Amino acid sequence: MAQREHFSGRVAVVCAMAGSAIGLGNIWRFPYMVGEHGGAAFVIIYIAATLLVSLPVFIAEVSLGRMSRCSAVGSMSKLRPGKKFWKGAGFLPFIIPLLIASYYSVIGGWALGFLFKSISGQMVSTAPEAAEGLFAQFQATGIQPITMHLLFLAGCSLILVFGVRSGIEKFSKLSLPVLFFLIVSMAVYSLNLPGSDGGVRYLLRPDFSQVGPSTFAYALGQSFYSLSLGTGAIITYGSYVRREENITSSCIGTAVCDLLFAVLAGFAIMPAVFAAGIEPSAGSGLIFQSIPYIFSSIGSAVPALGVVMSIVFFLTVVVAAMTSQISQMQVLLDVLQEKTGIGRRKGCLILFVVLGGLGCICALRTDILEGCDFLCCNVLLLIFSFLIMVFTGFVLGKERVREEITNSGIIRFPEKLFDVVFFLIKWVAPAAIALIFISNFIL
Ligand code: PHE
């Protein structure tokens, strides 16, 4: 088999992983979660959850990928050969990205459809009440969501054809600064709208009365999803990280980018929501109903600016979703190539056909899409993360992990700090994951 590619350096690793991490989770979930679960208080809990649980999981996933240097499906059985259980568990990072990539591409397609509507000026020229219905109209055509999904998927497949270094790395290095530029522009616009201060208050007011046990579960669940953990994406990207790279600092860099983007997205969206005088909502309703309403009600004050800002917004969503989608497709492509030995091009074509077909079902039936999302985010992703942590903490053990994250002793890692990190990996993370899993069903 050909030599495995590598990301060129630290910047490339962080850009690729941040590309996977920054996505719909930052734009359509985080701002709403913050506002509804205690504002600044939620952000503090979110940061604590990321530091104590998600970051150790992140480090474990990258280490696992780099140790095994193979697909996410094969990683555990390669490091612990002969154990049927771990071979079986390896099936999860095939099923999860297959499901996620099928429906995520449909949502990417919605964003693409709305980008076209923005370019044609429709977002600003439609009356506000009608703008809220644009999504229902778009959906009802049947053909539009399918076409857009296929177009979005084709774009991602095309980038994937170019490989890890010339495709994923190049695209991520280009898109990350663009994404930050776009979201900052949107935030500046949003914060300058009359009446936007309500949105700032909604995001920042620390309200500890809203904080309860469930807040911790929400914060952790959100942090997991946002960092693309438990799906095989990070293990896969880890397998392309060079031996000389510092895993810990790359993971910290990625987590910081992801959080920063989520907070900026909050300031880009919520002040505008309040300026337009509507109630903040969650999920797809926020992006595809509230945002069109905003552009048609306030964007029309200065129509040219409204058109530009609507383009900025939907372009951000499309690009952010693309880099996340690509990371899931790379997981699948790796498996496909490893199992069948086919070339990259053929692999991408097969992925396009399979995901294209599965996505069409989700494009026509949003209840199936939501079902897949629930199954992945609340069940499968958590089960797989739990298994990864048990594998890293108990099967690989302390010395193997130390060896990997210190690059065989070359990187200095204070002994005490390593003990803390390993304790988090072995005990705290699995316990926390088990708790979110349980609380998802009882809260
Ligand atoms: N992290 C992505 C987001 O925030 C979603 C994602 C999950 C991407 C799992 C890849 C794998 O939208």
Side-chain angles (χ1 to χ4, degrees):
M1 213 186 182
Q3 249 234 318
R4 204 169 180 78
E5 287 187 85
H6 289 295
F7 288 121
S8 63
R10 166 111 52 100
V11 174
V13 173
V14 172
C15 285
M17 295 203 294
S20 170
I22 294 172
L24 297 163
N26 304 57
I27 302 173
W28 84 6
R29 250 173 117 215
F30 185 82
Y32 179 77
M33 285 245 163
V34 171
E36 291 304 294
H37 297 290
F42 181 84
V43 177
I44 296 168
I45 294 169
Y46 181 87
I47 293 174
T50 303
L51 281 176
L52 295 177
V53 186
S54 308
L55 208 50
V57 177
F58 203 152
I59 293 173
E61 287 203 20
V62 178
S63 306
L64 202 64
R66 194 171 74 165
M67 270 183 220
S68 64
R69 292 227 161 282
C70 67
S71 73
V73 164
S75 58
M76 292 200 275
S77 56
K78 186 165 173 192
L79 296 170
R80 189 76 174 94
K83 284 273 182 239
K84 281 220 173 68
F85 179 76
W86 295 113
K87 200 167 177 192
F91 196 56
L92 281 169
F94 177 71
I95 286 293
I96 302 172
L98 185 70
L99 287 175
I100 297 188
S102 307
Y103 76 78
Y104 207 86
S105 161
V106 173
I107 306 173
W110 295 346
L112 191 60
F114 274 59
L115 176 61
F116 289 136
K117 287 186 196 300
S118 306
I119 295 171
S120 69
Q122 205 183 338
M123 208 58 70
V124 173
S125 60
T126 314
E129 283 66 32
E132 268 189 303
L134 277 178
F135 182 63
Q137 259 175 36
F138 170 81
Q139 193 62 21
T141 62
I143 190 74
Q144 284 187 23
I146 288 184
T147 316
M148 291 300 141
H149 146 64
L150 293 176
L151 213 59
F152 178 85
L153 192 63
C156 297
S157 311
L158 199 68
I159 294 166
L160 216 56
V161 169
F162 287 95
V164 170
R165 190 91 165 241
S166 318
I168 299 177
E169 177 177 324
K170 268 210 181 122
F171 186 68
S172 310
K173 272 183 166 168
L174 181 78
S175 60
L176 198 66
V178 171
L179 280 176
F180 272 97
F181 174 76
L182 293 176
I183 203 80
V184 168
S185 322
M186 177 77 192
V188 169
Y189 168 76
S190 192
L191 287 165
N192 278 306
L193 292 168
S196 60
D197 45 333
V200 177
R201 247 176 284 128
Y202 175 80
L203 287 171
L204 289 186
R205 116 221 89 97
D207 183 357
F208 286 94
S209 68
Q210 299 271 6
V211 173
S214 62
T215 317
F216 292 87
Y218 285 130
L220 203 48
Q222 169 66 18
S223 159
F224 256 66
Y225 180 75
S226 192
L227 287 172
S228 309
L229 299 174
T231 65
I234 298 302
I235 299 184
T236 302
Y237 277 6
S239 74
Y240 292 102
V241 172
R242 265 204 282 226
R243 289 259 170 252
E244 307 82 69
E245 230 61 75
N246 185 334
I247 291 183
T248 316
S249 62
S250 303
C251 291
I252 293 174
T254 307
V256 169
C257 283
D258 187 56
L259 176 66
L260 193 63
F261 192 89
V263 171
L264 286 170
F267 285 113
I269 293 170
M270 289 309 169
V273 166
F274 279 78
I278 49 179
E279 277 293 303
S281 59
S284 55
L286 177 69
I287 295 189
F288 301 106
Q289 286 164 1
S290 306
I291 297 278
Y293 181 93
I294 291 168
F295 284 122
S296 60
S297 58
I298 35 190
S300 52
V302 190
L305 184 63
V307 171
V308 171
M309 292 322 291
S310 59
I311 295 173
V312 164
F313 180 77
F314 285 104
L315 187 63
T316 313
V317 183
V318 170
V319 176
M322 272 179 95
T323 43
S324 299
Q325 172 76 8
I326 288 169
S327 72
Q328 295 157 84
M329 290 175 74
Q330 178 61 39
V331 183
L332 298 169
L333 185 61
D334 255 0
V335 179
L336 208 61
Q337 288 193 284
E338 203 170 272
K339 299 280 177 222
T340 63
I342 54 166
R344 216 175 160 90
R345 264 179 203 215
K346 237 192 207 154
C348 290
L349 189 64
I350 295 177
L351 279 187
F352 176 75
V353 172
V354 173
L355 297 175
L358 289 174
C360 282
I361 305 173
C362 297
L364 294 174
R365 293 276 307 268
T366 36
D367 53 337
I368 296 184
L369 186 151
E370 279 161 16
C372 286
D373 185 49
F374 182 86
L375 179 67
C376 290
C377 298
N378 296 316
V379 183
L380 299 177
L381 198 146
L382 294 174
I383 295 179
F384 186 50
S385 318
F386 181 80
L387 293 176
I388 293 169
M389 299 323 280
V390 171
F391 186 82
T392 314
F394 292 88
V395 179
L396 293 178
K398 200 167 179 175
E399 284 322 305
R400 282 294 292 278
V401 176
R402 188 201 312 270
E403 176 79 14
E404 196 58 35
I405 63 177
T406 62
N407 295 355
S408 309
I410 294 170
I411 295 170
R412 274 204 49 220
F413 210 102
E415 191 62 26
K416 285 261 161 12
L417 184 63
F418 179 76
D419 287 345
V420 173
V421 172
F422 193 74
F423 180 77
L424 294 174
I425 289 180
K426 189 169 179 177
W427 300 107
V428 177
I433 296 167
L435 277 179
I436 331 178
F437 186 80
I438 297 165
S439 67
N440 273 346
F441 291 96
I442 54 169
L443 290 178

